[in-house]
Amino acid sequence: MLGPVGVVAVRQYVAAIVLLAVGRPRLRAFTWRQWQPVLLLAVVFGTMNLSLYSAIDRIGLGLAVTLEFLGPLAVALAATRSRVDACCAVVAAAGVVTLMRPQPSADYLGMGLALLAAACWASYILLNRTVGRRVPGAQGSAAAAGLSALMFLPVGIAVVLRQPPTAAAVGCAVAAGVLSSAVPYLADLFTLRRVPAQAFGLFMSVNPVLAAVVGWVGLGQRLGWTEWAGIGAIVVANSLSMLARRG
């Protein structure tokens, strides 16, 4: 078993290989003004994945992704000051309170890690747009992915030395890296340069429900009705905000 840290390390390596091949960054030509958001994006990218996978390991896929989703939702709601958005913020807050209500089995560390992932995702959205404006093509994002992979290199070595993973575990981690990191990262890269940050956050409203269903069907992570209600509240808040903008 690779564990959350090992899986994230492999994800970072795969994303770096794909993005560096696509972006082909000319690192020596970068100015300090270009390096600043690239360095921040590298830190955010690694922290977001590590905190999310650690949260999933503790509180399950559905709850972790739902709390992480508060990041892009916050970006969307912060962009306007309408009454509808204020109501959406209240609904989302009610969902968070429901999910994080005090109970004997509550894992507050896992919830805190998911909220850290949410903050990183919000930063990821904003930083990606800044990198896109300052660095041509996919060079900036590729450089950020490469730096993030370098940060995880000692982690990967430690995991292998401590407990050599099986070929099947490595294969699954590589597949996860391609499907949940490299491909979505490239899609985000080009989408965020053409779509407003708040709109991008709103388009992701299906993620919490999808994650909860996958966790339930594929991993046997069952949720109670209160958890489903909290997830539903956050999804409804996002959907109402999106419909209000279309109107």
Side-chain angles (χ1 to χ4, degrees):
M1 295 294 290
L2 291 173
V5 177
V7 172
V8 171
V10 175
R11 276 191 60 171
Q12 301 304 100
Y13 305 153
V14 172
I17 291 171
V18 173
L19 288 170
L20 287 172
V22 173
R24 298 180 181 180
R26 300 177 180 178
L27 302 180
R28 294 183 179 180
F30 283 17
T31 65
W32 175 239
R33 184 173 180 274
Q34 292 173 317
W35 270 117
Q36 284 179 321
V38 168
L39 292 172
L40 289 173
L41 185 59
V43 174
V44 164
F45 189 35
T47 305
M48 177 175 67
N49 286 325
L50 181 57
S51 56
L52 175 61
Y53 272 69
S54 299
I56 291 173
D57 189 49
R58 299 182 69 93
I59 62 176
L61 184 63
L63 295 184
V65 171
T66 300
L67 292 175
E68 186 203 26
F69 180 70
L70 294 173
L73 179 57
V75 171
L77 295 178
T80 62
R81 296 291 185 273
S82 69
R83 292 182 179 178
V84 172
D85 287 312
C87 292
C88 291
V90 171
V91 174
V96 173
V97 170
T98 300
L99 292 174
M100 301 186 69
R101 70 194 186 283
Q103 53 182 330
S105 60
D107 189 328
Y108 293 107
L109 177 56
M111 294 178 183
L113 288 168
L115 292 177
L116 175 59
C120 288
W121 196 1
S123 301
Y124 164 82
I125 293 172
L126 301 176
L127 281 170
N128 228 328
R129 291 181 63 82
T130 301
V131 169
R133 288 193 297 265
R134 297 186 185 182
V135 185
Q139 293 187 55
S141 297
L147 289 173
S148 183
L150 283 178
M151 290 189 296
F152 276 87
L153 188 57
V155 174
I157 294 174
V159 169
V160 171
L161 292 178
R162 185 186 63 184
Q163 184 177 356
T166 64
V170 173
C172 290
V174 170
V178 173
L179 298 176
S180 64
S181 189
V183 173
Y185 195 64
L186 281 172
D188 291 351
L189 168 65
F190 293 107
T191 300
L192 285 167
R193 295 182 183 186
R194 293 166 175 79
V195 176
Q198 62 270 27
F200 175 81
L202 295 172
F203 294 154
M204 307 300 289
S205 61
V206 72
N207 281 5
V209 172
L210 181 60
V213 171
V214 170
W216 176 35
V217 176
L219 303 176
Q221 298 172 346
R222 297 184 179 276
L223 301 175
W225 71 268
T226 50
E227 283 78 15
W228 280 108
I231 293 172
I234 293 174
V235 172
V236 167
N238 184 81
S239 301
L240 287 176
S241 185
M242 180 170 57
L243 290 174
R245 281 169 175 74
R246 286 183 175 180

